[in-house]
Amino acid sequence: MNAGRGSGKRRFSLRNSLMTKYLLIVLSAMVLLPFALVLVSAATVFQTWTGHRETTEPYRSSSHLEEIWHREAAKLANASPGQIDAELRRLKDAYPKASLFWVDGSGTTRLQLPEGQDLPANWTASYTVQFMKNSSYSRIYTVVAFLGDKPGNDRGFMVFKVPREAFESTAAAIDARQGTIFVSGILLVLGLFLFVSLLFFYRIRRRLVQLQNAMTAPSETGIPAPVETARSDEIGRLEQSFNVMVRKLERSREREAEEEALRRDLIARLSHDLRTPLTAIRGHAYGLGEEAISDKGRESLRLIDRKIEFLGTLIDNLLSFTLLSSGKYPYHPRRIDIVRMARTQLAGWYPAFEQAGFEIDSDLPEEPVYWEADPQWLERVVDNYLQNVLRHAKAGRYVALKVSAENGGSIVIEDRGPGMTGESEEKGAGIGLSIASLMLKDMRLRSEVRTGPEGTTVVIRPA
Amino acid sequence: MAKRVLYVEDDRDIGRWVKEDLERRGYVVDWLISGDGAVERAREADLIVLDVMLPGLDGFTVGKRLKKEAPNAPILMLSARTSMDDKLQGLGFADDYLTKPFHPDELAARLEVLLRRHGMAADRQIECGHLLIRPELQTVTDSLTGEEIPLTAKQLQILMYFLRNRGLILTKEQIYEAVWGEPYLEGDKTVNVHIRYLRERIERDPGNPQIIETIRGIGYRVR
């Protein structure tokens, strides 16, 4: 029993929550960001170690250069001066920013690359010391290596000088590239986060729009159809609640229809049950009239008969009104010729008016006039007005039924009675007029009534 | 010869009264409280008066069976139900429909109309003014001269249609559709022309017709 109620106010559950989902996305972004940094750094380092080792980045680091220089020097332990020159030229090609020269065992400056490095022809001990001293603090990085890489063999030394900027710019370039990778890595993670968020909210939006469409989708009954609920998150529960509401609405609509049918049935039965004794009363009153009674008694019987007739009409009107106001009165509109309808109707009423001594006038055009209406309804409306004329306008002894084709057509009923405000017996036919106006309204027609002591004119025309 | 009426009515008050009233008017009334056994009795009846709300079988069902069993006897539905659907349903098989509370004179008048409409084949002759019509022979004679009036098939059909609906005003549309059996077309003068010729044959003074009365703007009537 609690199951149904429980689903309505289920407690917040972490597992089936959109909030949890979104928190998970944010959280994974937060975890992913440092992880991505590590990954990017690793990638940079990896790239440094693998790719452009010597060819593109010769001035990578001073220690690296020093190592190379000493290795080259070691290789030249027993080389002839020509070989040493050739080697230096090769190295100059490899390190174009560097200045190279070598000094042989006797202290004579040999090949300078490039020329004119402002060096003495012969190296004295003191100059050598001065050179070493200067090079330590200079802006020019200097590597000195003994040929054969051993100080004792006295074969001389070779010097490699390169401006320190060469290293710095290289380091900056490397830094810049690493920075680019770093930034793009972060941007990538952020972009990914944004994309996933967007996707997340897009899907929420789509489901909400679907729900909204389901709510506003027109259906035959006016109640929206239930929606499919695939998930049990907040929106899923909203959809479930919506479905519960739809079912409730449907049930209440059914109940309403049942009650309506019950009421209709009741009134139909009541109208039947009232008519049966009324018929018997009428019969017996008639039977009484056949007996020998006084004139006064006969007058009373006539009154009884009239009242019974009137009561019958009232009961009929009550039933019709109930059916009409609940939209259950059968309505079948079609294209009808109102000229023909009016003529047929007047033909039906003619004897009754004739008997009551009325002058009957008609003005019906030769050409048909078409209206979109239910013929039964329109007949009933016109019957109602003609009945009123017969009942309340006897004094005028005149009735006219006219049809005009102008302005979409109109039906006119005229009498010369005392008018609707005038005194007449059997008042209270108001429900009949209510039925007439309800029917006219449903058929998009309207009636204009002009009444006065000289008579009444009713005009029925399209609204 | 008295006409036999089969009357089915479950309300005893109304039943007794209607039976007495109709008997006073010269009918032989066979009154049943329910629809049971009505089918067997229907064959002997000239006329059937049926209440719609009957215990057991409802009046509509009984009526349809009776119509099947005794197609020649006209059926008048008597009902306390007045809704349009009921009326239409009733008139689907019944020949007339009268709602309660009805006046005994109206019931009697309607029964007479029904008998006239359905019993014409049985009637040897119908009198109408100076005319004497023998339906089974399809002849019309002038009772003053004793001469037969020659009529075309359409003229005779129109006259018979008037006689079946004596006292009623018939519009040109109704006449056309009943006699020609086709929907009336606007502006068709056929009916007027036929009636003019018919009057020339049957009226003693076609300029001042006595048999077929013109109701100006509405239609024609034979009283």
Side-chain angles (χ1 to χ4, degrees), chain A residues 111-178:
Chain A
L111 182 66
Q112 296 181 43
L113 291 170
E115 294 293 331
Q117 291 186 31
D118 191 21
L119 298 169
N122 283 298
W123 288 59
T124 59
S126 61
Y127 180 79
T128 307
V129 171
Q130 188 60 43
F131 177 80
M132 292 305 288
K133 235 180 171 170
N134 287 348
S135 67
S136 300
Y137 304 102
S138 159
R139 287 195 37 75
I140 295 179
Y141 179 69
T142 309
V143 185
V144 179
F146 292 106
L147 290 166
D149 206 22
K150 284 195 191 82
N153 62 5
D154 229 15
R155 289 198 32 82
F157 56 90
M158 51 194 243
V159 177
F160 181 95
K161 294 201 291 189
V162 71
R164 287 187 190 272
E165 295 94 62
F167 302 121
E168 278 159 15
S169 66
T170 304
I174 290 170
D175 278 356
R177 199 167 56 238
Q178 279 181 343

Side-chain angles (χ1 to χ4, degrees), chain A residues 2-68:
Chain A
N2 281 331
R5 191 172 296 180
S7 68
K9 29 175 124 168
R10 190 164 19 178
R11 275 176 46 215
F12 175 71
S13 101
L14 272 179
R15 230 164 61 86
N16 290 320
S17 169
L18 285 172
M19 197 170 82
T20 313
K21 238 184 216 175
Y22 193 63
L23 275 179
L24 269 175
I25 292 174
V26 173
L27 221 69
S28 51
M30 282 164 71
V31 170
L32 208 61
L33 201 60
F35 182 71
L37 290 188
V38 170
L39 207 73
V40 166
S41 315
T44 318
V45 170
F46 184 67
Q47 193 189 36
T48 316
W49 278 98
T50 49
H52 338 279
R53 203 180 163 116
E54 310 221 328
T55 47
T56 54
E57 291 303 334
Y59 313 103
R60 199 173 303 119
S61 71
S62 51
S63 56
H64 175 64
L65 275 181
E66 196 171 338
E67 188 194 319
I68 289 173

Side-chain angles (χ1 to χ4, degrees), chain A residues 396-416:
Chain A
R397 302 209 176 275
Y398 173 85
V399 65
L401 183 63
K402 298 173 181 173
V403 171
S404 159
E406 280 161 36
N407 299 327
S410 59
I411 301 173
V412 182
I413 300 148
E414 279 175 25
D415 69 55
R416 290 176 190 161

Side-chain angles (χ1 to χ4, degrees), chain B:
Chain B
M1 197 188 98
K3 297 287 181 190
R4 301 184 66 90
V5 179
L6 174 64
Y7 177 40
V8 188
E9 168 67 71
D10 62 321
D11 189 279
R12 282 161 206 276
D13 280 339
I14 299 173
R16 198 177 307 121
W17 155 57
V18 170
K19 182 173 154 66
E20 280 169 16
D21 185 69
L22 290 180
E23 278 171 351
R24 212 168 34 75
R25 291 173 197 263
Y27 291 98
V28 175
V29 181
D30 190 2
W31 172 31
L32 297 177
I33 296 289
S34 78
D36 301 332
V39 175
E40 290 71 30
R41 312 252 190 120
R43 290 188 209 104
E44 299 158 16
D46 297 305
L47 200 60
I48 298 165
V49 178
L50 199 62
D51 185 54
V52 177
M53 301 282 268
L54 291 171
L57 286 172
D58 77 287
F60 292 125
T61 315
V62 174
K64 279 177 198 152
R65 282 197 198 164
L66 293 179
K67 195 77 207 169
K68 216 168 162 189
E69 199 61 37
N72 289 325
I75 297 177
L76 184 137
M77 295 295 287
L78 210 52
S79 172
R81 305 212 308 209
T82 54
S83 87
M84 202 72 82
D85 268 357
D86 275 8
K87 275 185 193 166
L88 294 178
Q89 199 187 349
L91 290 176
F93 63 89
D95 300 273
D96 205 354
Y97 194 104
L98 192 57
T99 55
K100 294 175 180 174
F102 54 87
H103 195 280
D105 284 344
E106 190 178 3
L107 177 64
R110 285 189 188 238
L111 290 183
E112 268 170 45
V113 169
L114 281 180
L115 278 177
R116 199 161 55 219
R117 203 186 295 171
H118 285 261
M120 277 212 320
D123 282 345
R124 300 209 144 239
Q125 58 184 40
I126 303 163
E127 274 182 56
C128 179
H130 64 284
L131 299 178
L132 206 62
I133 300 113
R134 292 193 181 82
E136 78 260 46
L137 297 175
Q138 303 264 296
T139 60
V140 179
T141 37
D142 187 335
S143 59
L144 298 176
T145 61
E147 281 173 28
E148 190 179 327
I149 301 169
L151 291 180
T152 65
K154 276 283 175 286
Q155 286 166 351
L156 194 65
Q157 273 177 288
I158 292 171
L159 185 59
M160 296 310 269
Y161 182 60
F162 274 122
L163 291 174
R164 278 200 298 275
N165 296 286
R166 270 177 98 161
L168 298 182
I169 295 162
L170 303 171
T171 65
K172 58 178 191 278
E173 292 97 340
Q174 285 172 318
I175 296 167
Y176 186 86
E177 286 172 7
V179 173
W180 276 265
E182 289 166 22
Y184 176 80
L185 292 175
E186 286 318 319
D188 196 336
K189 299 283 181 213
T190 315
V191 172
N192 303 25
V193 171
H194 272 79
I195 284 178
R196 199 167 70 230
Y197 288 141
L198 180 59
R199 276 173 170 163
E200 281 172 12
R201 295 279 175 86
I202 62 173
E203 298 283 1
R204 272 182 294 184
D205 176 10
N208 180 24
Q210 296 299 313
I211 307 279
I212 302 174
E213 189 187 347
T214 297
I215 311 293
R216 198 176 59 82
I218 306 174
Y220 306 93
R221 170 167 66 179
V222 172
R223 293 226 207 204

